[in-house]
């Protein structure tokens, strides 16, 4: 245990936990992937972001083509890849009397091949946009790019050679990496081809996000977030069962709490384990939830015993935010994630998350045979549920309300249903009412859509759940998704909470849950 | 011996010669150089290209500075460097939640720090402009740039970090390389401080061009040219005496003649020895000249014996270009370099180069005790000199003329003087007349200026020679040269034969000869 005083936070490093996480670091599996085709990007108002690709030639044609100054081409690797690029390039014509200057633009979506990154004006760092400008002094040569990319397409722009020579690209390959073994998985042959496809794309999404840790997105942020981890782990238990990676991630979070014991919303693992200075009410609670799910997937009682204090502590800290009426205090100085939905008040959904995780903690206390902790949690839970029903339920509107403006949002209803605040029958009615009345403060992300679908499933409306999945994830598939996207609004396909769809991640952990929903609930 | 059939040329590879060159490959000496200052580039109409630097802070201040998006700074390494950059960078603020995107602009001159490379419209490849865009995924990190740069200044532009962190540059270093050992040289304490300074800068220029081979310029073209080699070798004999590097270069040229035996104007040495497909009348002849100078500097008779056939062959091939009147045939399909001077007719100066090198070959034949070859060369030489005096000398104008338009150029007079076509007295008068009448077709490069000065020295006008050197190389020094420039026109300081002064080389082999002229002629 060591104390690390940083600019904005104090971290209590638990070196034993960190050591255990380190031991569980996976060996990555590598696959060599070759490009499938030379493509062109064409304007198409019907296509997502207004662009689609069209095959121009098979990739093998590359060998017969010479490229000089200002020539360019786009390679399609046929599917989403996470990995490392290697390029063999040789000169054609006179001996190369100047370096080759080559620009690569690497993207998951056609739009990344079409719209210049120079024009990017979003709020997240432009350094996430995948591009390289490379000088090759000696030809022929092999360009082994050291950075990992997340992509399907690569645009090559020969910015300059010299008037005396051109270049031929002899070999372009991707060494794709993941910590999962696709042989570990049982593919399902579903009666419904739409769900079967959705299952496959979920699994590909999950696999591409499973690296040294469960990453949120291999393009951006390439990082272990607790909220994403919880959903990835659920999908993993139904598919790869790479359970040690979940364990590793739990130990990573437990290794770097702050001086109050709170786990951060995300951690960095390179060059060493670092806790981010972002703390989210819901994400910290999800430590308990993820431990709960891990235990019931594995029966690993040793890990449960060791990490229980960390999980329990998250609940204690969350309870400190309750007011005298047992309701989560709303204020401008806290942050609970819930969803990217603009204007969403976080009070009621956070109350739902608290109840949801407290119930899981009660189950864990039972498993650990800790009646004292369990009973105390149950006692608090009763107060909180009762307060929630009396203070956050609007009898007139028949909806849960949130915040001083008594906001009626989708997120509030969904989390209250998942938390089991109402009876099954009441929950079912509430979900029906929600889908009929469609309150204005809606859903922004696949992450929240997952919770909508699961709320429909737990309240017993399987048909509606499938219908929502087909409209949402099925919509992504129709719009060309190879892996599921971080963000998708069927009514506003340009949507990005970051000011530009170029910076969105198009293979994102929190969108991988259809496989979990399909397999867990036998859809 | 192997035959290599390329697109435009047939090369007869002499593997024995190539093997000897390989054995002579030098070990590079390395020196760690730290930046001296943080500088700003300021507009100054009096300064070369309109820009000069001003010290902003000592380089040590860098440690106290944090840089975020769109911040930039310029480092001054205090003198010209050829080498490799290493940069230690660490984050400041929150943990870095996005890669660092960093742009480096690396330049020999203030103008390269001031004028954006994006606007470059010159005729040579823009890939010579030294810049890098680097993404650093993991911080803190060390950026060890793999390419060699030629520079004094480095501009750092932080294109993006993220709003959550900034960066500090802890260590920035250049590992400077050269194949010379500065301890090998005797510095001279000259009575004339201007000549002393000129000597020092010549030596620095030469050292920075001496790498695996004698390069023409470490920024551009980084390549072994015969015309540059000849002058570098002369400067080297007076200074570093790294004579094996000259020998190595001679073997490299002799290793890759074409199927007629002609040596190319330049060779590439990476990834392996390749003859460029450029052949120049004068440069091929300079093989004989360089061998002559090497022999008289070293008395290495074995090398002379082995390379004599190659040298002799260059003269035979040049003689094939003579017309029935023993004058070099002028036509549109040949290329003799002589100088970058626009509109310069190459006939008469090439005739001068031929005579110059034939005389050296005669001396070598004597040393080798080859009376037959020697006598034949002498016989041809007599015819050629006589033809030159009768057909290329314009009695009226009292100048040598060149081409069908009877062009009177500086280059023609200079090469005829160097070739000793006239008597000493006549030569002296011709040089005087040249400097008085100043024919319009003048001199474009330090390369041709070298020959002007040497022509003044061999014709006995030392004062005028010194005066020309002070006006020309002294002018560069006044304009801020740390090493001598590839191109300099005191009357048009923007001059570039490549359409942009950004692409000029500012440390160039053919400009390094003042140390030779000063030391050889006891100036």
């Amino acid at each position: 245990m060591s104390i690390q005083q940083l600019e904005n936070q104090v971290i209590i490093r638990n070196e034993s936990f960190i050591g255990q996480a380190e031991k569980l670091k996976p060996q990555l599996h590598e696959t060599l992937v070759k490009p499938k085709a030379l493509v062109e990007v064409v304007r198409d108002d019907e296509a997502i972001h207004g662009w689609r690709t069209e095959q121009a030639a098979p990739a093998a044609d590359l060998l017969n083509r010479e490229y000089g100054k200002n020539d360019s081409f786009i390679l399609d690797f046929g599917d989403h890849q996470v990995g490392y690029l290697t390029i063999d390039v040789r000169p054609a014509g006179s001996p190369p009397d100047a370096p080759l200057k080559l620009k690569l633009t690497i993207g998951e979506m056609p739009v990344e091949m079409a719209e210049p990154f120079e024009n990017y004006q979003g709020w997240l760092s432009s350094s996430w946009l995948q591009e390289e400008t490379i000088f090759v002094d000696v030809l022929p040569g092999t360009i082994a790019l050291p950075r990992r990319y997340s992509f399907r397409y690569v645009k090559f722009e020969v910015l300059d050679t010299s008037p005396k020579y051109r270049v031929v690209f002899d070999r372009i390959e991707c060494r794709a990496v993941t910590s999962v073994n696709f042989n570990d998985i049982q593919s399902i042959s579903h009666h419904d081809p739409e769900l079967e496809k959705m299952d496959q794309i979920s699994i590909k999404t999950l696999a591409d996000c499973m690296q040294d840790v469960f990453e949120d997105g291999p393009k951006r942020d390439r990082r272990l977030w607790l909220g994403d981890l919880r959903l990835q782990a659920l999908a993993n238990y139904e598919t790869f069962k790479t359970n040690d990676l979940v364990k590793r991630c739990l130990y990573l979070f437990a290794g770097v709490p702050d001086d109050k014991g709170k786990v951060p919303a995300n951690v960095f693992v390179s060059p060493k384990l670092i806790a981010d200075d972002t703390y989210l009410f819901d994400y910290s609670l999800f430590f308990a939830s993820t431990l709960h799910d891990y235990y019931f997937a594995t029966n690993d009682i040793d890990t449960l015993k060791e990490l229980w204090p960390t999980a329990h502590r998250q609940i204690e800290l969350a309870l400190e935010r309750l007011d005298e009426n047992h309701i989560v205090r709303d204020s401008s100085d806290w942050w609970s994630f819930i969803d990217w939905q603009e204007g969403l008040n976080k009070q009621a959904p956070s109350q739902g998350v608290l109840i949801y995780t407290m119930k899981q903690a009660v189950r864990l206390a039972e498993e650990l045979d800790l009646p004292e902790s369990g009973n105390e949690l149950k006692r608090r839970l009763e107060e909180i549920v009762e307060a929630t029903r009396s203070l956050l339920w609007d009898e007139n509107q028949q909806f849960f309300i949130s915040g001083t403006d008594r906001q009626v949002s989708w997120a509030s209803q969904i989390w209250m249903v998942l938390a089991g605040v109402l009876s099954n029958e009441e929950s079912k009615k509430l979900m029906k009412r929600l889908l009929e009345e469609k309150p204005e403060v809606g859903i922004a992300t696949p992450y929240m859509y997952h919770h909508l679908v699961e709320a429909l499933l737990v309240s017993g409306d399987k048909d509606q759940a499938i219908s929502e999945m087909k409209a949402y994830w099925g919509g992504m598939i129709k719009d060309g998704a190879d892996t599921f996207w971080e963000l998708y609004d069927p009514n506003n396909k340009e949507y990005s909470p970051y000011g530009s769809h170029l910076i969105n991640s198009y293979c994102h952990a929190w969108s991988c849950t259809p496989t979990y929903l399909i397999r867990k609930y036998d859809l």
Side-chain angles (χ1 to χ4, degrees), chain A residues 337-357:
Chain A
F337 173 68
I338 306 296
D339 192 17
W340 279 122
Q341 178 63 41
E342 230 184 293
L344 175 66
N345 181 282
K346 311 292 174 78
Q347 184 189 44
S350 298
Q351 183 91 0
V353 169
L354 174 62
I355 296 167
Y356 177 87
T357 49

Side-chain angles (χ1 to χ4, degrees), chain A residues 408-422:
Chain A
V408 174
S409 70
W410 288 56
S412 297
Q413 319 316 314
I414 288 165
W415 270 111
M416 289 305 180
V417 167
L418 289 171
V421 173
L422 306 178

Side-chain angles (χ1 to χ4, degrees), chain A residues 219-267:
Chain A
K219 169 177 153 189
R220 203 216 80 241
D221 312 330
R222 310 181 199 149
R223 205 186 318 158
L224 175 56
W225 285 89
L226 242 168
D228 300 77
L229 170 62
R230 171 174 154 262
L231 298 193
Q232 285 169 297
L234 289 173
N236 169 69
Y237 304 135
E238 302 296 324
T239 54
F240 299 113
K241 299 181 176 60
T242 306
N243 299 339
D244 271 357
L245 193 64
V246 184
K247 182 175 171 183
R248 165 169 156 79
C249 292
L250 284 168
Y251 274 99
L252 287 172
F253 279 109
V256 284
D258 72 3
D259 51 348
K260 286 189 183 126
K262 187 179 280 188
V263 296
N266 69 84
V267 297

Side-chain angles (χ1 to χ4, degrees), chain A residues 203-455:
Chain A
I203 290 167
K204 174 68 171 151
T205 306
L206 177 61
D208 282 358
C209 292
M210 284 171 73
Q211 303 291 339
D212 273 358
V213 294
F214 283 92
E215 296 185 13
D216 60 335
K219 169 177 153 189
R220 203 216 80 241
D221 312 330
R222 310 181 199 149
R223 205 186 318 158
L224 175 56
W225 285 89
L226 242 168
D228 300 77
L229 170 62
R230 171 174 154 262
L231 298 193
Q232 285 169 297
L234 289 173
N236 169 69
Y237 304 135
E238 302 296 324
T239 54
F240 299 113
K241 299 181 176 60
T242 306
N243 299 339
D244 271 357
L245 193 64
V246 184
K247 182 175 171 183
R248 165 169 156 79
C249 292
L250 284 168
Y251 274 99
L252 287 172
F253 279 109
V256 284
D258 72 3
D259 51 348
K260 286 189 183 126
K262 187 179 280 188
V263 296
N266 69 84
V267 297
F268 302 86
V269 292
S270 286
K272 58 166 191 163
L273 178 63
I274 299 169
D276 190 19
D277 56 6
T278 299
Y279 293 84
L280 299 171
F281 180 86
D282 50 350
Y283 276 33
S284 293
L285 281 171
F286 286 143
F287 183 89
S289 186
T290 309
L291 181 61
H292 166 272
D293 301 339
Y294 171 77
Y295 173 71
F296 286 102
T298 61
N299 288 313
D300 177 356
I301 189 76
D302 295 336
T303 296
L304 175 59
K305 275 185 187 158
E306 201 159 42
L307 297 184
W308 163 255
T310 304
H312 189 238
R313 183 69 188 138
Q314 306 316 306
I315 291 174
E316 289 180 335
L317 289 167
L319 290 173
E320 289 180 8
R321 261 210 82 83
L322 298 190
D323 63 17
E324 63 285 5
N325 298 320
H326 314 294
I327 300 293
V328 169
R329 258 199 324 277
D330 198 15
S331 63
S332 56
D333 68 341
W334 79 312
W335 199 15
S336 186
F337 173 68
I338 306 296
D339 192 17
W340 279 122
Q341 178 63 41
E342 230 184 293
L344 175 66
N345 181 282
K346 311 292 174 78
Q347 184 189 44
S350 298
Q351 183 91 0
V353 169
L354 174 62
I355 296 167
Y356 177 87
T357 49
M358 282 179 81
K359 286 183 174 175
Q360 292 179 317
V362 167
R363 288 283 288 116
L364 293 180
E366 284 165 11
E367 292 293 318
L368 287 162
D369 201 13
L370 296 168
E372 212 169 309
S373 297
N375 289 333
E376 172 62 11
L377 283 169
K378 275 193 250 179
R379 192 186 63 73
R380 295 298 308 268
L381 200 45
E382 271 173 41
E383 290 172 356
I384 294 167
V385 171
E386 197 178 306
T388 303
R389 294 185 62 126
S390 66
L391 296 173
L392 297 184
W393 177 255
D394 184 318
E395 196 56 40
N396 265 347
Q397 300 190 74
Q398 292 285 303
F399 277 123
F400 287 96
I401 48 95
S402 183
T404 45
D405 293 344
R406 302 177 67 83
Q407 179 185 79
V408 174
S409 70
W410 288 56
S412 297
Q413 319 316 314
I414 288 165
W415 270 111
M416 289 305 180
V417 167
L418 289 171
V421 173
L422 306 178
S423 71
N424 274 0
E425 203 43 47
E426 287 169 326
S427 285
K428 195 168 182 175
K429 281 187 191 156
L430 175 58
M431 291 309 292
K432 203 161 179 289
R433 198 176 307 122
L434 177 67
L435 293 175
E436 277 167 9
E437 298 196 14
K438 295 186 175 27
E440 204 187 312
V441 182
I443 293 180
T445 63
Y447 175 76
M448 197 64 223
Y449 257 92
H450 161 84
H451 294 108
L452 165 67
V453 173
E454 192 155 35

Side-chain angles (χ1 to χ4, degrees), chain A residues 62 65-74 87 89-91 98-105 132-136 139 143 154-163 165-169 172:
Chain A
L62 208 56
R65 298 187 180 201
E66 295 180 0
Y67 296 93
K69 181 171 180 162
N70 295 329
D71 290 339
S72 70
F73 62 91
I74 298 172
I87 299 159
V89 59
R90 67 175 164 86
L100 162 65
K101 183 177 180 183
L102 179 66
K103 184 175 176 184
L104 301 182
T105 306
E132 302 292 343
T133 303
I134 302 161
F135 293 86
V136 185
L139 291 165
I143 308 166
V154 185
K155 180 163 66 183
F156 285 69
E157 293 172 272
V158 174
L159 298 185
D160 221 331
T161 53
S162 92
Y165 79 100
R166 298 160 71 79
V167 287
V168 177
F169 294 92
I172 300 173

